[in-house]
DNA sequence: CTGAAAGCGCTAACAC
DNA sequence: GTGTTAGCGCTTTCAG
């Protein structure tokens, strides 16, 4: 099989000039005569020349590759963020190498190592839900390798992060429930060490306080974000002697599980129990009743993360924090059909 | 900023030997003394040496990168296939570069060009729904660049393809409807030039014939796979003087749209109209009633595609066709609650 | 205005 | 056993 790509050398030979002349001509170096530039460019065009990124990378010590580590790629939330990252990356001439941690710290560490071996220039990461030790990321910082976290973050003081106004969002949810006439608002949260859990819990409390609702520890339950544990959490709520009349879930996935559990108990959404989710995945509009949810600006999260990354890599910017606004999209699952109680 | 990675040269200098000695020692070349091998390996370990893939790629003219082009990354179907591709790729030391066509032929062509510029070794592709001319892929074949299609395929005689038993699957759907007592089975298909449309229509006819149901051209409607056109298609069916009592959709997405339209007309699933989808995305179990659907073995599709790719690249295998089995997962949307009619 | 040469990190053929 | 050298494709001094 013959060579697949033409090199500068090939062009040079064909034109009977040196490689360096060709190289310069293609970059419009002023030293090169106009005529020569024309000739070179013409031939390059004709032969479909494209510079070999490997050679460039080797020379410049840069690969134009960004390593992205996410818990998984099949959740709409992450897929959509990746789309955002990709779009900014592409605009700036970067490629994206994706690696899934499958929510396992072990695989997350491996992902870092593998991507490093591939010589990515830096990382954009959403922590696995298991991860509580951050040594593998501290190592990157020590080596001055650019790093950006989104959604689930850590080391916030030293690393660029992109999140949403989790606390404010949660507060809005409680307000909304209150306005609809719900009075016993429960929250199904995630693991305590995750920033998103902490922030959303804080906002939940804020909201309860704002509305003069009593904080009842029984109404704050936790799950590990899996379907099973979400169901279990919902069951705990349903078995309370004084069960909630509204449930807010840390993400839509959890809420879908809760919804099924509620139905199993022959209770009805929204009249017996109001329901609000977080993320607003596509499915939110597919379920019946349609799910009220905090809209996560997923694509923009990706875009912001990529932009922070590039700022850091190319312009040496200091780490910064970007907090995006969310919005409560009210649908059927939290709107009382009868008169508000 | 100092150098981020240690090179063979660094190791060589530290050990006062030549670069080639180090290189050979690390590969357990028999020429090198056992003692030297030990010393070299030890230091390499200590310094976290990892070979520079750019240098290797330049030398060997290979990048170990696979270009993957998909209509989009946020649909569960594609995301899940990518996960499959990635898993096999990783096992075999390949990286995956993903590029979305956004269902546009133009962007598909650009994706090919960009990935080529990045020097991917070959492609795994699912055609955009717009694509009817295949010149950009023929070009790859001419240049002997490995190519594998999945799901939406073309050039089947010259290119490796991974699909599912579309025809058989459709037939099974019609049989199922028939057994449940449905008699006017409609099919919402996609654009005619797509292989998946053709094959599923063929199976739909097969099924009707098997069951001695009359083929009524009014019951075969087409959409461009968008929500809007799916809704329009469903509306056409609902406005028929003799409307269908069962609807089969070319994918779940289309069926969700149809479901909404049915509800708008105050008809009930499954009693007024039975519903079956294709793909079995996660949402299938989230909607009410839960959706009966053909289970698409998405992860395996990805795995197979990647394996075909590697067979072709590394073992020079001829193009082949892999057809995976599907299964009908019966849920609520197609099971009559009252007595079968 | 253009060419020669070095070097990015690595391997392999060829010395010795 | 180990070192030397050339070369993969490219840019960039330094010469001329």
């Amino acid at each position: 099989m013959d060579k697949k790509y033409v090199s500068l050398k090939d062009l040079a030979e064909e034109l009977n000039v040196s490689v360096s002349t060709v190289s310069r001509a293609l970059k419009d170096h002023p030293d090169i005569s106009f005529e020569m530039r024309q000739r070179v460019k013409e031939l390059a065009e004709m032969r479909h020349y494209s510079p070999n990124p490997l050679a460039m990378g080797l020379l410049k010590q840069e690969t134009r590759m960004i390593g992205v580590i996410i818990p998984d790629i099949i959740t709409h939330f992450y897929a959509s963020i990746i789309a955002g990252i990709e779009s900014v990356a592409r605009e700036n001439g970067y490629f994206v190498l994706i690696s899934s941690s499958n929510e396992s710290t072990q695989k997350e560490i491996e992902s870092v190592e593998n991507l490093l071996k591939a010589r990515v220039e830096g990382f954009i990461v959403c922590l696995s839900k298991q991860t509580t030790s951050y040594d593998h990321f501290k190592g990157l910082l020590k080596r001055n390798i650019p790093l950006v976290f989104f959604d689930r973050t850590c080391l916030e003081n030293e690393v660029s992060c992109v999140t949403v106004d989790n606390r404010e969002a949660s507060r809005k949810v409680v307000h909304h429930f209150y306005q609809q006439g719900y009075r016993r608002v429960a929250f199904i949260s995630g693991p305590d060490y995750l920033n998103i859990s902490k922030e959303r819990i804080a906002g939940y409390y804020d909201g309860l306080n704002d509305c003069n609702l009593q904080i009842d520890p029984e109404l704050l339950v936790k799950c590990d974000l899996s379907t099973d544990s979400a169901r279990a959490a919902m069951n705990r709520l349903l078995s309370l002697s004084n069960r909630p009349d509204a449930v807010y879930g840390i993400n839509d996935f959890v809420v879908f599980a809760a919804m099924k559990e509620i139905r199993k108990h022959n209770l009805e959404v929204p009249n017996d129990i109001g329901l609000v989710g977080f993320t607003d995945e596509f499915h939110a509009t597919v379920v019946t009743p349609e799910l009220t949810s905090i809209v996560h600006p997923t694509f923009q999260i990706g875009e912001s993360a990529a932009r922070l990354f590039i700022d850091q890599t190319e312009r040496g910017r200091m780490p910064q924090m970007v907090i995006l606004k969310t919005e409560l999209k009210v649908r059927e699952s939290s709107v009382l059909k009868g008169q508000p109680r």
Side-chain angles (χ1 to χ4, degrees), chain A:
Chain A
M1 195 165 1
D2 39 11
K3 272 182 29 170
K4 283 180 180 160
Y5 297 95
V6 284
S7 65
L8 283 190
K9 196 178 159 196
D10 298 332
L11 298 179
E13 279 170 6
E14 196 164 343
L15 289 168
N16 268 315
V17 295
S18 76
V19 175
S20 39
T21 302
V22 177
S23 168
R24 280 182 282 221
L26 287 175
K27 314 192 113 54
D28 270 327
H29 192 105
D31 275 1
I32 305 292
S33 70
F34 181 75
E35 193 204 324
M36 177 61 86
R37 278 189 271 179
Q38 287 307 105
R39 278 179 60 205
V40 170
K41 285 186 192 170
E42 213 166 279
L43 186 70
E45 177 83 1
M46 243 173 59
R47 296 275 175 274
H48 297 106
Y49 169 76
S50 83
N52 186 322
L54 296 182
M56 298 284 284
L58 191 54
L59 198 61
K60 300 250 184 81
Q61 299 288 40
E62 60 177 41
T63 55
R64 302 245 118 198
M65 296 198 301
I66 308 175
V68 174
I69 305 179
I70 40 168
D72 72 74
I73 195 181
I74 63 169
T75 302
H76 182 270
F77 177 64
Y78 298 115
S80 171
I81 286 174
I82 287 179
I85 293 177
E86 237 227 325
S87 115
V88 171
R90 191 188 296 205
E91 270 170 30
N92 289 271
Y94 281 86
F95 284 99
V96 170
L97 238 42
I98 299 164
S99 193
S100 308
S101 67
N102 293 321
E103 300 280 18
S104 130
T105 304
Q106 186 48 42
K107 288 204 86 184
E108 189 174 273
I109 294 173
E110 286 170 23
S111 293
V112 171
E113 284 169 1
N114 284 329
L115 291 170
L116 234 28
K117 279 186 191 153
R119 298 298 195 266
V120 296
E121 291 187 29
F123 293 84
I124 298 178
V125 179
C126 176
L127 293 173
S128 105
K129 71 181 180 192
Q130 268 192 2
T131 302
T132 52
S133 150
Y134 311 120
D135 292 345
H136 45 309
F137 296 117
K138 285 182 191 152
L140 297 179
L141 293 183
K142 258 192 218 125
R143 294 170 69 180
N144 252 309
I145 296 175
L147 179 56
V148 175
F149 286 112
F150 67 87
D151 199 49
R152 302 186 194 152
T153 66
C154 66
L155 309 172
E156 287 85 356
N157 292 321
E158 314 159 60
V159 183
S160 281
C161 294
V162 181
T163 54
V164 295
D165 55 356
N166 286 303
R167 184 161 181 169
E168 182 55 25
S170 284
R171 161 188 256 145
K172 276 190 287 196
V173 170
V174 177
H175 284 214
H176 166 68
F177 273 136
Y178 186 82
Q179 280 161 15
Q180 285 295 316
Y182 296 100
R183 289 296 176 268
R184 277 184 67 71
V185 179
F187 180 36
I188 305 180
S189 182
D192 267 337
Y193 49 82
L194 290 182
N195 61 312
I196 51 174
S197 298
K198 285 184 227 155
E199 294 170 26
R200 292 178 199 171
I201 289 174
Y204 165 69
Y205 286 148
D206 287 349
L208 293 178
N209 281 329
D210 293 349
C211 301
N212 284 314
L213 292 175
Q214 194 202 327
I215 291 181
D216 181 345
E218 281 187 335
L219 293 181
L220 174 61
V221 293
K222 284 158 195 174
C223 72
D224 67 8
L225 305 180
S226 71
T227 297
D228 284 347
S229 88
R231 290 188 147 200
M234 186 66 222
N235 263 325
R236 258 175 283 141
L237 290 174
L238 288 173
S239 64
L240 292 177
S241 54
N242 188 4
R243 69 162 172 74
D245 59 2
V247 175
Y248 163 44
I250 189 162
N251 64 38
D252 287 357
F253 198 71
V254 161
V255 173
F256 290 141
M259 196 184 250
K260 293 212 164 187
E261 221 48 41
I262 292 172
R263 241 182 235 127
K264 250 198 209 156
H265 283 71
N266 286 317
L267 295 170
E268 201 207 330
V269 177
N271 276 343
D272 297 317
I273 297 190
L275 223 41
V276 170
F278 205 115
T279 298
D280 195 42
E281 310 204 347
F282 161 71
H283 344 341
T285 62
V286 156
V287 290
T288 323
E290 293 191 7
L291 188 64
T292 295
S293 192
I294 292 283
V295 181
H296 231 154
T298 47
F299 196 83
Q300 285 117 283
I301 294 177
E303 288 181 317
S304 293
R307 262 191 282 263
L308 284 185
F309 181 91
I310 290 166
D311 276 356
Q312 224 171 301
T313 319
E314 299 191 348
R315 297 186 257 292
R317 286 272 194 82
M318 287 290 93
Q320 29 179 329
M321 169 141 285
V322 170
I323 298 176
L324 298 174
K325 289 253 165 298
T326 58
E327 197 191 323
L328 181 69
K329 180 85 190 171
V330 178
R331 298 205 185 81
E332 302 161 353
S333 71
S334 63
V335 175
L336 285 173
K337 289 176 201 158
Q339 62 279 44
R341 279 167 284 197

